[in-house]
């Protein structure tokens, strides 16, 4: 009993873990006091039990019969709300009773009895203790490591919420309440390393993108051909061809034409390609004299004639519908701002009954369904170049920055390029000496922010078509496109010059 009185008079802070505190370091014991065990709380060598008389007052009773004492103790443990206090916290009324114990000896004795009865802490049984240890899943070595520093809260409260034997959560400023954090547990030697959870079930595969979805197809075309979304009339023509044939890409075969290029994406012929194949896909139906600005969408079945869109900027809508016949020359013909109008003009030149019938159908569908056409160029080209379609670059007329003409006229440049192509191997170096100053002048212009000059010279070399100038052409155009912030065109021209071919069939399928 002396230990209980010593505990009451002790001025140290009560340890919130009570008798269950497992820390043994001296700094912890010097800072916190710990309640005595049940065996230490005895009066005259007999245990104190709580009994009340008929008036409800607490009285002392000596349990000499071991069986009755054990039965009362078991009944108290089986009742969850029997007035037991948390053994991890010291009851406040214990300290209050100390102040009243100095008044009278009889009253102090009764107060001590009340204190002793209220100090009957709930000691878990062996089975409960093993269950709690299994819940914490901490090894002895981990507990000893936690006890080294008193600043570390035992049982790693930041990882899980500690609970008392009666199931009530122990409050701690270090432990988030509720489901704010995900709980973790340390795995002991006797526990399995993994517990099945609902989150561990096999997740179904993500749904496969529908290849007929319009948004998916628009994005697919942009990714494979490195251009902006196709205009609305592009899809209007596909809808028209759907009405004419079960395979829309073949609806124009009666007039010697077929839908190619990005239309193969709509037809499902390019489902096996992705963004890793852009060096191949940008060459799909790209003819020998097609610059990066030209994108073929309709091709002839018996010649190298083809129709397509012309873009000045890769990530902008096309400005014109154009055509070219690479078997003849590099000149790009402007057909207008409407794809339906360009097709009708081409069918009129064929002068056949089938072409006339198809032309009337196109005109009727255009009046009923087609509501949008291309807007055309918003600014004039700075020069025409060899292909006659012209190039557009940012140009400030006040400062005269953005473009300067080449050091040689178009006629003189054509003459030099023609002589270089016709020269023998021994004479080529002499002609190159004439070309080198023109190239140097274009490079100097690019260094001085006149990016259009190198762009023009690179296009002229490209339209000349001489494979011996591909290396210089690539250097000029890649530099110009990057300076003009058109890297997509730079990728296209590199792929094209690395694999430039002639012929009517330019499909990669």
């Amino acid at each position: 009993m002396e230990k209980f009185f010593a505990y009451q008079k002790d001025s140290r802070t009560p340890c919130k873990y009570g008798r269950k505190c497992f820390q043994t370091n001296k700094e912890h014991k010097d800072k916190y006091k710990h309640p005595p065990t049940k065996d230490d709380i005895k009066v005259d060598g007999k245990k104190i039990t709580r009994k009340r008389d008929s008036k409800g007052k607490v009285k002392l009773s000596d349990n000499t019969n071991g069986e009755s004492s054990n039965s009362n103790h078991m009944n108290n443990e089986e009742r969850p709300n029997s007035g037991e206090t948390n053994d991890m916290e010291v009851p406040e009324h214990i300290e209050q009773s100390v102040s009243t114990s100095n008044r009278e000896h009889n009253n102090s004795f009764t107060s001590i009895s009340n204190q002793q009865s209220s100090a009957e802490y709930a000691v878990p049984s062996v089975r409960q203790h093993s269950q709690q240890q299994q819940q914490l899943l901490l090894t002895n070595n981990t507990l000893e490591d936690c006890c080294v520093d008193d600043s570390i809260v035992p049982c790693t409260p930041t990882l899980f919420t500690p609970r008392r034997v009666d199931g009530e959560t122990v409050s701690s400023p270090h432990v988030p309440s509720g489901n704010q954090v995900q709980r973790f547990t340390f795995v002991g030697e006797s526990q399995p390393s993994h517990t099945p959870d609902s989150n561990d079930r096999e997740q179904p595969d993500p749904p496969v993108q529908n290849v007929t979805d319009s948004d998916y197809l628009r994005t697919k075309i942009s990714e494979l051909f490195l251009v902006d979304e196709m205009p609305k009339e592009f899809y209007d023509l596909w809808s028209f061809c759907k009405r004419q044939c079960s395979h829309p890409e073949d609806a124009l075969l009666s007039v010697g034409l077929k839908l190619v290029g990005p239309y193969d994406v709509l037809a499902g012929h390019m489902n096996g390609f992705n963004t890793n194949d852009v060096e191949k896909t940008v060459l799909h139906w790209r003819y020998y004299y097609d610059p990066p600005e030209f994108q073929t969408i309709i091709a002839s079945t018996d010649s190298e004639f083809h129709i397509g869109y012309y873009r000045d900027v890769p990530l902008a809508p096309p400005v014109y519908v154009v055509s070219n016949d690479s078997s003849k020359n590099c000149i790009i013909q402007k057909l207008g701002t409407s794809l339906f109008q360009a097709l009708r003009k081409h069918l009129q030149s064929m002068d056949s009954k089938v072409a006339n019938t198809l032309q009337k159908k196109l005109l009727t569908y255009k009046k009923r369904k087609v509501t949008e056409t291309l807007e055309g160029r918003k600014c004039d080209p700075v020069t025409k170049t060899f292909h006659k379609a012209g190039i557009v670059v940012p140009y400030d007329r006040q400062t005269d920055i953005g473009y300067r003409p080449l050091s040689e006229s178009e006629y003189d440049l054509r003459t030099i390029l023609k002589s270089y192509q016709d020269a023998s191997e021994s004479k080529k170096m002499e002609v190159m000496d004439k070309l080198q100053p023109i190239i140097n002048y274009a490079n100097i212009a690019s260094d001085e922010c006149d990016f259009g000059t190198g762009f023009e010279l690179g296009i002229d070399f490209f339209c000349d078509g001489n494979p011996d100038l591909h290396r210089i052409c690539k250097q000029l155009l890649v530099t110009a496109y990057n300076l003009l912030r058109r890297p997509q065109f730079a990728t296209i021209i590199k792929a094209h010059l690395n694999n430039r071919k002639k012929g009517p069939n330019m499909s990669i399928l």
Side-chain angles (χ1 to χ4, degrees):
M1 197 64 189
E2 291 79 9
K3 293 184 179 181
F4 183 79
F5 287 116
Y7 173 81
Q8 290 179 331
K9 296 179 181 180
D10 195 341
S11 61
R12 292 177 297 174
T13 304
C15 179
K16 64 179 181 179
Y17 295 101
R19 287 198 211 87
K20 294 196 299 183
C21 180
F22 49 78
Q23 298 201 40
T24 58
N25 56 328
K26 186 176 180 301
E27 295 179 359
H28 179 78
K29 290 185 176 181
D30 292 342
K31 186 176 180 180
Y32 300 96
K33 63 179 181 179
H34 300 78
T37 60
K38 291 182 62 177
D39 296 335
D40 296 332
I41 308 175
K42 294 182 180 180
V43 178
D44 296 333
K46 297 180 180 180
K47 293 184 178 180
I48 305 300
T49 59
R50 289 180 294 178
K51 291 185 178 180
R52 298 181 182 271
D53 54 11
S54 60
K55 296 181 180 181
K57 295 182 180 180
V58 179
K59 63 181 181 177
L60 300 176
S61 62
D62 299 342
N63 293 326
T64 58
N65 190 351
E67 296 179 358
S68 61
S69 176
N70 293 333
S71 62
N72 292 334
H73 181 67
M74 292 299 294
N75 292 332
N76 292 333
E77 289 182 348
E78 293 175 354
R79 291 178 296 175
N81 298 324
S82 60
E84 296 175 350
T85 59
N86 183 11
D87 60 343
M88 299 176 69
E89 299 178 359
V90 179
E92 296 180 357
H93 58 270
I94 293 180
E95 297 180 356
Q96 296 176 359
S97 62
V98 175
S99 61
T100 59
S101 62
N102 297 328
R103 296 180 181 178
E104 293 180 359
H105 178 70
N106 295 331
N107 293 334
S108 64
F109 184 77
T110 304
S111 175
I112 293 171
S113 301
N114 293 333
Q115 296 168 12
Q116 293 169 347
S117 62
S118 63
E120 291 286 338
Y121 302 109
V123 180
S125 62
V126 177
R127 183 175 181 180
Q128 292 174 331
H129 182 71
S130 62
Q131 292 177 352
Q132 185 179 10
Q133 291 298 102
Q134 184 178 2
Q135 180 182 2
L136 298 180
L137 298 175
L138 291 172
T139 59
N140 293 332
N141 295 333
T142 307
L143 295 177
E144 292 177 0
D145 296 338
C146 294
C147 298
V148 174
D149 187 3
D150 191 41
S151 62
I152 300 177
V153 181
C155 300
T156 60
T158 56
L159 298 180
F160 63 91
T161 304
R163 295 182 179 273
R164 301 190 320 197
V165 177
D166 57 1
E168 184 179 353
T169 303
V170 178
S171 60
S172 172
H174 302 282
V175 182
S177 60
N179 297 326
Q180 298 177 1
V181 295
Q182 183 180 4
R183 295 188 180 183
F184 298 88
T185 54
F186 288 103
V187 179
E189 296 178 356
S190 61
Q191 299 298 328
S193 60
H194 178 73
T195 303
D197 193 356
S198 60
N199 295 329
D200 297 333
R201 297 174 183 175
E202 184 178 357
Q203 299 294 334
D205 294 334
V208 179
Q209 180 68 48
N210 186 5
V211 296
T212 62
D213 183 71
S214 59
D215 293 336
Y216 168 76
L217 294 175
R218 292 175 187 270
T219 306
K220 187 78 170 178
I221 293 174
S222 298
E223 291 177 349
L224 296 183
F225 294 93
L226 301 181
V227 293
D228 190 37
E229 292 184 359
M230 306 300 291
K232 184 179 180 301
E233 65 167 7
F234 171 83
Y235 300 98
D236 290 337
L237 180 60
W238 181 257
S239 300
F240 169 80
C241 293
K242 272 186 176 181
R243 299 187 177 190
Q244 310 302 320
C245 182
S246 58
H247 296 280
E249 65 274 19
D250 298 332
L252 304 180
L253 289 179
S254 59
V255 292
L257 299 175
K258 58 183 176 181
L259 304 184
V260 297
Y263 279 121
D264 288 327
V265 177
L266 302 184
H269 300 325
M270 301 187 70
N271 293 336
F273 294 91
N274 53 37
T275 54
N276 296 327
D277 304 319
V278 289
E279 292 186 357
K280 295 180 180 179
T281 56
V282 295
L283 299 180
H284 187 47
W285 289 102
R286 182 164 296 279
Y287 289 83
Y288 193 81
Y289 289 110
D290 289 350
E293 291 80 5
F294 195 115
Q295 182 182 19
T296 303
I297 58 176
I298 300 175
S300 173
T301 57
D302 55 0
S303 67
E304 297 183 26
F305 173 82
H306 53 287
I307 300 174
Y309 284 125
Y310 190 91
R311 286 179 171 85
D312 290 323
V313 181
L315 300 183
V319 293
Y320 291 121
V321 180
V322 295
S323 66
N324 171 256
D325 190 343
S326 59
S327 63
K328 297 179 179 179
N329 51 46
C330 64
I331 296 177
I332 298 175
Q333 298 286 344
K334 184 173 70 172
L335 302 181
T337 58
S338 172
L339 181 59
F340 282 82
Q341 181 182 357
L343 270 176
R344 289 179 56 241
K345 287 183 179 180
H346 178 71
L347 294 176
Q348 288 177 357
S349 63
M350 297 179 67
D351 193 16
S352 66
K353 184 176 180 180
V354 177
N356 291 335
T357 303
L358 185 59
Q359 176 192 346
K360 293 179 181 179
K361 291 182 179 180
L362 284 171
L363 179 60
T364 303
Y365 187 85
K366 179 180 181 295
K367 291 180 178 180
R368 293 176 54 241
K369 298 293 184 179
V370 180
T371 58
E372 297 180 8
T373 58
L374 305 182
E375 297 181 358
R377 274 183 172 147
K378 296 181 180 180
C379 56
D380 297 331
V382 293
T383 183
K384 290 185 177 181
T385 67
F386 285 180
H387 58 45
K388 304 303 180 181
I391 58 173
V392 174
V393 296
Y395 176 67
D396 190 346
R397 294 187 180 276
Q398 294 180 354
T399 60
D400 199 25
I401 293 178
Y403 171 76
R404 70 179 69 169
L406 296 175
S407 59
E408 297 289 342
S409 64
E410 179 179 340
Y411 176 81
D412 293 337
L413 181 60
R414 284 183 180 274
T415 303
I416 297 173
L417 292 175
K418 183 68 168 69
S419 60
Y420 181 81
Q421 188 171 7
D422 296 338
S424 60
E425 293 296 331
S426 59
K427 298 282 185 166
K428 284 185 181 294
M429 293 302 298
E430 297 179 4
V431 182
M432 181 58 66
D433 292 339
K434 297 179 181 180
L435 283 176
Q436 194 61 48
I438 305 175
I439 299 171
N440 294 339
Y441 181 84
N443 290 331
I444 294 173
S446 298
D447 294 339
E448 297 177 356
C449 298
D450 290 333
F451 307 140
T453 307
F455 186 16
E456 178 187 6
L457 184 61
I459 290 294
D460 289 343
F461 281 4
F462 176 81
C463 293
D464 181 69
N466 189 351
D468 295 338
L469 297 177
H470 281 179
R471 182 182 60 83
I472 302 175
C473 176
K474 184 191 301 185
Q475 182 266 329
L476 289 170
L477 289 180
V478 169
T479 302
Y481 283 133
N482 288 328
L483 292 175
L484 292 170
R485 298 182 180 180
R486 303 171 188 177
Q488 295 83 3
F489 284 167
T491 302
I492 294 174
I493 196 61
K494 285 192 293 185
H496 193 187
L497 292 177
N498 290 337
N499 191 15
R500 196 176 185 186
K501 298 179 181 179
K502 292 183 179 182
N505 185 8
M506 292 291 105
S507 175
I508 65 172
L509 300 177

